Amino acid sequence: MSPQVRLRLLPSARCLFDEPVQVKVAGLRSRQVVAMRARSTDEKGVVFSSTATYRADGSGEIDLKRDPSLSGSYMGVEPMGLLWSMSADILHKRFQKNNSLNPHVVKFSVHEEEEEEEEGRMLAEATNERLLIGEGVSRLPIKEGNIRGVLFTPPGGGPFPAVLDLYTFGGGLSEKRASLLASRGFVVLTVALYGHDDMPKKIKEVHLDYFEEAIELLKQQDKVGSKGVGIISLSKSGDLALSVASYLPGVEAVVWINGCCANTVLPLYYKKKQVLPALVIDISKLIPTESGASIGKYVLHDPLAEENKASLVPIEEAKGRFLFVASEDDLNWDSKGYMDEMVERLKRHGKDNFESVSYPGAGHYLEPPYGPYCPSSFHGVANQPILWGGEPRSHAAAEVHLWKKIQEFFRAQLSCDATETKAKL
């Protein structure tokens, strides 16, 4: 360490996961070239790291908001580049930070310029503690009736809009997005479908009754002021969100991110009757690549083919409003094509209860911003690593834009009435 070199994180070294920090270095020699590094370990013990080369100005200072990276994990002026460009030290690993009580701890460091592959002497370091849950937000594990999940409630009396988070279809539970939304002023219930707590490890069908129960539980919370609820989804849970909005009452707003327009993977039931068959997957259509991960974009059968139309979700029946979000470089499936089909379907039915946004250069996993970009990871249905698509810089920019848009959409659609809250108390 060099006593005169200082690495600062502004405005604070402690912040929420979705907040940017300004990284500044002082005390270097005039025009000195150094390596900046970031390093973190996820919940599974996988190490993620990034590196970028910077040249100090005439005063011996570097400011990542102003100065370009000359080489490394990214190039150019990218204030948060060290965070989103972090990659795993093992192939096909996705950054796992699912428990909201565990902050994302990132070690930033400045090193003398390396010679060949060796890391240069460390000149300064600082630790960034990136919290998944804001101060005063309550976290309550839910085990009520059939529901297994976690409820997050903001501090204060409310009333607050209510959101049901269907994070992904995978087993278990992810709290990150739900806890961050609650930190931004929403009462959020995130639920598991299987593989969590005392739930079965695998399922052969999905029941809308489960989501109906979850919505009722959410609406009964004291601080909830919205008459209906919002639903946020991603991937397979996208078609579940569409179905919930189309078949069940009380859904005012749906955020659909990189899903399908048809019911996929498993048949859908309501009141013990099948309402939608499953659109079938043909694993033989996976395209292997040299990386060891496959492209899954073409494995789903065409939902518009006559024999598959029964699996299309009747979104024209939904009373609420949709925000459709598609990544144009999604390699998991054709999210943009499915989104275009839904827009056309609603227009054909004379509906204008939707808005859509698509992101060129973004991949499948659009998440809250500033986490490590994931190019590929293991896919439970395909039972092998899958390429998710996207170019890291474009993907990171899409996450920043989308996160703000999601909050604006829910605030606009989930009107809160203070008298509603008082009536429940």
Side-chain angles (χ1 to χ4, degrees):
M1 301 279 272
S2 172
Q4 73 267 24
V5 180
R6 298 182 310 283
L7 173 56
R8 290 186 300 154
L9 306 172
L10 303 171
S12 170
R14 205 163 181 264
C15 64
L16 277 170
F17 184 98
D18 60 1
E19 289 177 338
V21 288
Q22 187 175 7
V23 183
K24 296 181 89 169
V25 183
L28 296 167
R29 297 189 307 276
S30 175
R31 312 290 176 196
Q32 183 177 352
V33 176
V34 294
M36 301 278 300
R37 294 186 175 277
R39 184 182 172 94
S40 181
T41 305
D42 77 357
E43 284 173 1
K44 301 288 187 184
V46 178
V47 175
F48 288 75
S49 62
S50 60
T51 183
T53 307
Y54 283 89
R55 178 179 278 109
D57 64 12
S59 305
E61 295 184 354
I62 294 169
D63 181 350
L64 267 61
K65 276 182 90 168
R66 174 196 70 189
D67 300 322
S69 162
L70 307 175
S71 65
S73 303
Y74 60 94
M75 304 260 291
V77 179
E78 290 290 337
M80 298 289 279
L82 284 171
L83 286 178
W84 57 250
S85 71
M86 284 199 290
S87 60
D89 58 359
I90 307 170
L91 268 179
H92 314 311
K93 288 293 181 183
R94 193 164 142 254
F95 177 75
Q96 299 283 347
K97 190 61 74 175
N98 296 326
N99 186 328
S100 61
L101 301 179
N102 300 334
H104 175 29
V105 179
V106 184
K107 296 267 189 195
F108 288 99
S109 54
V110 189
H111 300 256
E112 287 181 336
E113 200 178 8
E114 315 98 320
E115 293 195 10
E116 293 176 11
E117 295 299 311
E118 290 189 23
E119 188 173 284
R121 181 171 70 101
M122 188 191 294
L123 302 173
E125 68 175 340
T127 301
N128 186 196
E129 192 178 6
R130 307 185 63 77
L131 308 172
L132 271 68
I133 188 166
E135 196 170 327
V137 174
S138 79
R139 174 188 179 274
L140 179 68
I142 297 291
K143 190 174 181 179
E144 195 170 313
N146 294 305
I147 305 303
R148 300 293 180 269
V150 182
L151 178 73
F152 295 96
T153 309
F160 301 110
V163 174
L164 179 63
D165 187 342
L166 309 180
Y167 177 69
T168 62
F169 182 65
L173 196 69
S174 177
E175 301 177 21
K176 178 172 68 179
R177 187 170 67 180
S179 60
L180 287 169
L181 271 178
S183 305
R184 300 298 176 201
F186 300 89
V187 176
V188 188
L189 173 63
T190 180
V191 293
L193 259 182
Y194 63 96
H196 174 69
D197 200 30
D198 58 354
M199 300 180 103
K201 292 283 179 276
K202 288 188 175 180
I203 52 174
K204 292 182 178 176
E205 57 200 38
V206 179
H207 291 261
L208 281 172
D209 312 65
Y210 181 76
F211 304 108
E212 190 170 47
E213 193 178 333
I215 288 168
E216 282 311 307
L217 190 151
L218 191 48
K219 285 165 71 174
Q220 286 163 14
Q221 300 308 307
D222 290 345
K223 292 187 183 181
V224 167
S226 52
K227 292 180 180 66
V229 304
I231 300 181
I232 184 167
S233 60
L234 172 68
S235 197
K236 159 62 192 172
S237 69
D239 66 66
L240 293 179
L242 298 178
S243 296
V244 172
S246 302
Y247 289 102
L248 303 179
V251 179
E252 288 189 316
V254 171
V255 176
W256 173 99
I257 304 171
N258 290 333
C260 184
C261 54
N263 179 58
T264 62
V265 185
L266 298 173
L268 187 69
Y269 285 76
Y270 183 48
K271 307 289 187 195
K272 298 185 178 173
K273 286 185 180 175
Q274 183 176 302
V275 289
L276 291 174
L279 186 64
V280 181
I281 287 174
D282 184 352
I283 293 294
S284 71
K285 290 186 176 174
L286 282 172
I287 302 168
T289 70
E290 287 180 8
S291 71
S294 298
I295 294 170
K297 188 166 184 174
Y298 308 103
V299 299
L300 266 183
H301 286 193
D302 179 6
L304 299 181
E306 201 55 46
E307 65 272 19
N308 299 324
K309 281 186 176 175
S311 65
L312 286 166
V313 183
I315 52 174
E316 65 278 2
E317 301 294 332
K319 301 290 188 287
R321 192 165 178 86
F322 295 105
L323 171 60
F324 299 131
V325 181
S327 294
E328 293 185 15
D329 193 36
D330 187 346
L331 294 181
N332 179 64
W333 51 19
D334 187 12
S335 299
K336 177 68 165 60
Y338 299 145
M339 179 176 86
D340 292 344
E341 154 59 22
M342 290 191 295
V343 166
E344 283 308 307
R345 184 182 182 107
L346 289 173
K347 283 179 178 174
R348 279 200 309 272
H349 284 86
K351 300 272 189 170
D352 61 357
N353 59 334
F354 64 90
E355 53 192 284
S356 62
V357 59
S358 61
Y359 293 106
H364 184 68
Y365 265 109
L366 285 174
E367 301 203 88
Y370 310 127
Y373 159 74
C374 177
S376 61
S377 66
F378 186 81
H379 191 297
V381 176
N383 204 32
Q384 59 176 283
I386 290 290
L387 282 176
W388 300 118
E391 181 276 316
R393 182 195 306 254
S394 302
H395 187 91
E399 288 184 332
V400 172
H401 182 270
L402 175 60
W403 188 236
K404 186 181 175 199
K405 190 164 184 65
I406 287 167
Q407 294 170 59
E408 289 170 350
F409 174 74
F410 278 145
R411 284 199 185 95
Q413 303 308 321
L414 301 173
S415 50
C416 270
D417 185 352
T419 56
E420 288 270 318
T421 316
K422 291 193 183 100
K424 292 177 196 165
L425 295 173

